[in-house]
Amino acid sequence: MSDGIEYELTRVRLSDGWETTVYLVRHPLATTSPRVIWFPEPQRLDHWCAAHGHPEAIVAGFFMRDPYRPLGEVRIDGAAIDHEPVPSRWAAKRACVHIDGGIRIAAREDLDDDAAGDLLQAGPLLVSGGRSVVDGDDREGFSAGSEQFDSDITIERHPRCALGIGATELLAVCCDGRRSGVDGGLTLGELARLLISFGAEEAINLDGGGSATLVHRKHLLNRPYSHQDQPAPESRPVVTALVFG
């Protein structure tokens, strides 16, 4: 289409013979204006996009339940949103998406304390300088701090979402998983290598699992599964998203 946004659907065969479905939306970097959206009341992202006229979006950061709030720092137009903080020993290391004119993926310690624009902590960092940085060091504390999550997101294959930045594109990526014999999901290392093959020079992991949601032209692309082989999968209400304008 004339907006330059391109969608690709891929079946990926993994090293042990498993396969998974991967969805990729390429957004031209020069003409795309991403922003962080925060939902005070959790929303099913595909339904929200259809209702509010936002055709392109992906789930963003992690969140806590009861009460629902972002897990990690979120800023909208420079204003801090109430959130569940990352434990202090890892907070500075956790990767962020920062949008202020341009878009950047960086550790929180590499950004201003009172960062202007939009900021969202997610992670871990997947790709830096065109190379995978998934090496098992747990430098961002996702494994050691896994009590803040449903499980240790650094191990095994799961449905995943990620944002990549290439030379000329923003890459919104999602994979299916939790479907026996159909979709195995991806490990973080597999996700990083896949992003590099798509052209990512920098990339960050976003929320995944049952929250994995990628919307293209107001339609949900992926099949979110909160549990293995559940019937009739549908999107889960989430707390933050990245919207591509």
Side-chain angles (χ1 to χ4, degrees):
M1 294 182 68
S2 59
D3 57 15
I5 299 172
E6 298 180 356
Y7 163 55
E8 299 175 16
L9 173 65
T10 306
R11 286 287 291 174
V12 175
R13 179 172 289 275
L14 305 170
S15 59
D16 58 0
W18 273 89
E19 294 185 354
T20 202
T21 306
V22 176
Y23 310 84
L24 165 65
V25 183
R26 298 179 181 269
H27 299 269
L29 194 56
T31 56
T32 301
S33 298
R35 57 193 178 103
V36 174
I37 300 293
W38 165 61
F39 303 119
E41 295 293 330
Q43 301 285 325
R44 291 178 63 185
L45 183 56
D46 52 325
H47 290 202
W48 181 86
C49 285
H52 292 84
H54 294 285
E56 307 289 334
I58 191 170
V59 67
F62 308 102
F63 58 90
M64 307 291 289
R65 302 185 184 94
D66 195 26
Y68 282 89
R69 61 195 181 280
L71 171 54
E73 187 177 359
V74 176
R75 288 176 171 267
I76 307 290
D77 292 330
I81 302 300
D82 185 43
H83 66 280
E84 180 74 13
V86 174
S88 58
R89 64 181 292 192
W90 299 301
K93 302 293 184 183
R94 284 275 168 99
C96 300
V97 178
H98 182 221
I99 304 165
D100 186 23
I103 183 167
R104 182 182 178 192
I105 294 171
R108 185 63 184 90
E109 63 188 357
D110 295 332
L111 302 169
D112 291 342
D113 289 345
D114 294 317
D118 293 354
L119 179 144
L120 181 136
Q121 269 189 319
L125 186 67
L126 299 172
V127 179
S128 179
R131 296 175 178 268
S132 172
V133 293
V134 180
D135 54 15
D137 280 356
D138 196 36
R139 62 181 61 82
E140 297 180 46
F142 280 94
S143 183
S146 61
E147 70 276 359
Q148 288 193 306
F149 298 85
D150 294 335
S151 62
D152 186 341
I153 68 168
T154 69
I155 61 174
E156 300 180 343
R157 290 182 176 133
H158 298 284
R160 307 259 187 196
C161 287
L163 177 73
I165 304 175
T168 61
E169 296 175 315
L170 289 176
L171 309 169
V173 176
C174 187
C175 75
D176 286 337
R178 299 178 178 170
R179 299 181 67 196
S180 298
V182 180
D183 288 301
L186 294 172
T187 66
L188 289 175
E190 290 166 341
L191 180 59
R193 292 190 291 274
L194 191 64
L195 280 152
I196 293 168
S197 75
F198 291 153
E201 297 175 355
E202 311 291 327
I204 185 173
N205 180 63
L206 302 173
D207 198 3
S211 301
T213 314
L214 178 58
V215 178
H216 173 56
R217 309 214 185 276
K218 299 183 185 178
H219 294 288
L220 178 67
L221 292 181
N222 62 302
R223 294 171 59 84
Y225 276 68
S226 294
H227 308 286
Q228 190 74 23
D229 297 326
Q230 72 184 60
E234 60 180 19
S235 60
R236 172 189 288 174
V238 298
V239 172
T240 57
L242 288 166
V243 171
F244 306 96

